[in-house]
Amino acid sequence: MAMDTQICNGIHWVGYVDWTVRDFHGYNTNRGATYNSYLIEDEQCALIDTVKGPYAQHLLANVQGHVDLSRIKYVVCNHGEPDHSSGFPAVMKVLPHATILVSAKGQQTLNAYYDTDGWNMQVVKTGDSVSLGNRTLHFLETPMVHWPDSMMTYVPQEKLLFSMDAFGQHYSSSYRFDDENPITEIMAEARTYYANIVTPYGGRVVKTMEAAAQLEIEVIAPSHGVIWRKHIPEILKAYRNWALCKSRRKLLVIYDSMWGSTAQMAQAICEGAMGANVEAKLIAIRQSDLTNIATEMLDAAAVAFGSSTLNQEMLPPAAAALTYLKGLRFTNRAAFSFGSFGWGKGGPEAVGEMLKACKWELTRECLKAKYKPNQVALDECRAAGAELATKAIEIADAAGYEPLLID
Ligand code: FEO
């Protein structure tokens, strides 16, 4: 399917809509994805990024709908992750005369992934610019947003920022702009994207946003999903919240249960929290997925995390969820662990150790029940839920979260 959308006069989206992808290195892309590539027609034409390797011919066909390939002088590589760079071998095969504009780290990435013999590469850094004739490409390195090689490209004549993965969403649509799609859907996908891809690099995102604030921007064209032209203030506000890991008055009870005892405890904790002025959410890990759990964590101030005991350890689905959350490094959260055990202990204790490793504030000792929680234990769970809700309110109120359309 050849698709074309003009972003502004002479600048076209020439990427690929991946409608059916549902697994992006483990991230559940329930609404598909796009790999955005852009063509700038000028005296010297430039391509901004390629697409995922299998779709390189679609990209080239889209480009040829506008210009002869011999007119492409530059191919910008804003980021070397294969969802954007694995199209390079096919592209460079038909554009042997083109020069790749890439950061120093990006050059290393391309050399590591591909046989780059014969490719012309010009290393660019923050402050460098390349003239296309009527327009200029300005480069802004954004290391660790979200790879060491990441950079953005700005076209001042159009007030257009090619923002790479930042501000992206995994979202497939036949419409390319934010105002042509339901805003709550694309904001929700932007949140999911941030939570699962960008969370560990919040400090770097803050620096990037400070640098981008110096630019006049009317259009933000990311490498995934829709292009922002109407709702730029909303996505920038969201990124301020997310980059600083600001939380709302929201509490999660996340658990995995073997025979229903830990589930009963989870229910009671959630009931206790629901009496307070917080949004409380109960998440059974096996009825959810890691992508959703991380997304819910992005604006949650507190979490009660539970697991039954299996072979003196927590249950494997609980371990997977905690390993994933630990790597994402959500900061300034309160937590406690809970769960059941039988003749051998270990499940809830192992959860507690992981909560400590996440560097979250533990609000109480591990809450445990032998075989099955009795009424006393369930009352204790309700009280612990209420206490955690109080803590969640305290953290959220201090965080200064800016309300969003999707809250
Ligand atoms: Fe969309 Fe980091 O690649």
Side-chain angles (χ1 to χ4, degrees):
M1 177 184 63
M3 287 190 65
D4 164 45
T5 296
Q6 182 155 283
I7 307 305
C8 50
N9 191 28
I11 301 185
H12 307 270
W13 177 92
V14 288
Y16 182 76
V17 180
D18 196 349
W19 296 93
T20 59
V21 65
R22 291 293 180 271
D23 180 351
F24 185 93
H25 62 49
Y27 175 143
N28 288 355
T29 48
N30 294 324
R31 288 190 172 110
T34 71
Y35 315 107
N36 295 342
S37 177
Y38 302 94
L39 170 68
I40 304 178
E41 279 189 82
D42 211 310
E43 290 170 18
Q44 315 265 32
C45 295
L47 198 56
I48 308 292
D49 293 304
T50 71
V51 293
K52 201 169 170 183
Y55 313 120
Q57 296 310 321
H58 293 267
L59 162 66
L60 291 169
N62 290 344
V63 172
Q64 284 175 297
H66 300 284
V67 297
D68 191 89
L69 293 178
S70 63
R71 287 195 56 209
I72 307 290
K73 167 76 174 162
Y74 298 109
V75 184
V76 174
C77 175
N78 276 329
H79 176 29
E81 193 166 6
D83 51 329
H84 309 288
S85 69
S86 53
F88 263 101
V91 167
M92 294 315 288
K93 200 169 173 182
V94 296
L95 300 179
H97 56 280
T99 297
I100 300 171
L101 301 171
V102 63
S103 68
K105 292 280 188 189
Q107 185 179 39
Q108 290 173 17
T109 311
L110 292 180
N111 286 336
Y113 273 123
Y114 312 109
D115 176 3
T116 56
D117 264 5
W119 293 9
N120 305 313
M121 288 197 243
Q122 180 180 333
V123 169
V124 294
K125 59 184 185 312
T126 296
D128 287 354
S129 61
V130 168
S131 172
L132 303 178
N134 296 313
R135 302 188 191 81
T136 323
L137 304 177
H138 289 249
F139 304 101
L140 173 65
E141 290 171 279
T142 59
M144 300 319 295
V145 180
H146 68 121
W147 273 29
D149 61 19
S150 299
M151 71 173 190
M152 298 181 181
T153 301
Y154 177 63
V155 181
Q157 293 82 1
E158 310 293 348
K159 300 184 173 64
L160 167 59
L161 180 68
F162 295 106
S163 64
M164 222 315 100
D165 283 332
F167 311 115
Q169 336 91 50
H170 282 317
Y171 186 77
S172 54
S173 168
S174 56
Y175 298 108
R176 300 274 58 82
F177 288 100
D178 57 350
D179 50 290
E180 299 173 314
N181 292 278
I183 179 63
T184 49
E185 277 189 12
I186 57 175
M187 282 299 296
E189 291 302 334
R191 173 166 63 189
T192 302
Y193 191 90
Y194 189 98
N196 285 274
I197 303 282
V198 192
T199 296
Y201 312 110
R204 297 290 193 151
V205 172
V206 171
K207 282 189 168 53
T208 296
M209 289 180 69
E210 284 168 1
Q214 309 304 313
L215 307 173
E216 271 192 275
I217 295 173
E218 289 182 357
V219 181
I220 297 177
S223 292
H224 296 291
V226 302
I227 296 160
W228 302 95
R229 67 179 175 190
K230 180 176 180 188
H231 299 291
I232 289 175
E234 182 69 11
I235 189 65
L236 291 179
K237 182 168 61 170
Y239 262 59
R240 283 196 297 273
N241 281 334
W242 301 336
L244 294 168
C245 229
K246 294 180 180 182
S247 54
R248 297 193 294 123
R249 287 185 170 199
K250 176 176 163 186
L251 176 155
L252 304 178
V253 183
I254 304 173
Y255 72 96
D256 191 25
S257 188
M258 200 167 166
W259 289 110
S261 298
T262 300
Q264 280 185 35
M265 297 174 79
Q267 287 281 353
I269 293 165
C270 195
E271 283 168 20
M274 284 163 65
N277 188 19
V278 295
E279 178 186 354
K281 279 196 177 180
L282 185 72
I283 299 176
I285 294 170
R286 293 183 211 208
Q287 276 72 53
S288 182
D289 60 57
L290 297 182
T291 308
N292 179 55
I293 290 169
T295 305
E296 292 291 354
M297 272 303 298
L298 185 60
D299 58 0
V303 57
F305 202 108
S307 172
S308 317
T309 301
L310 177 70
N311 303 327
Q312 298 183 309
E313 275 292 347
M314 70 178 103
L315 294 168
L322 280 169
T323 300
Y324 189 52
L325 294 178
K326 176 172 166 278
L328 289 170
R329 304 204 293 269
F330 297 97
T331 57
N332 194 23
R333 304 299 192 244
F336 71 78
S337 63
F338 66 94
S340 63
F341 64 98
W343 65 97
K345 295 182 180 176
E349 291 87 347
V351 169
E353 289 305 311
M354 278 297 276
L355 297 179
K356 271 190 223 166
C358 289
K359 301 189 171 126
W360 297 339
E361 181 186 343
L362 294 192
T363 57
R364 57 158 297 137
E365 292 288 302
C366 184
L367 196 52
K368 293 181 278 188
K370 189 171 170 75
Y371 286 107
K372 187 170 185 276
N374 57 22
Q375 209 49 54
V376 172
L378 291 174
D379 286 345
E380 197 181 356
C381 287
R382 286 188 195 92
E387 281 167 22
L388 192 63
T390 303
K391 187 70 188 173
I393 290 169
E394 185 186 306
I395 291 173
D397 288 359
Y401 183 90
E402 299 178 69
L404 302 176
L405 283 171
I406 46 173
D407 292 339

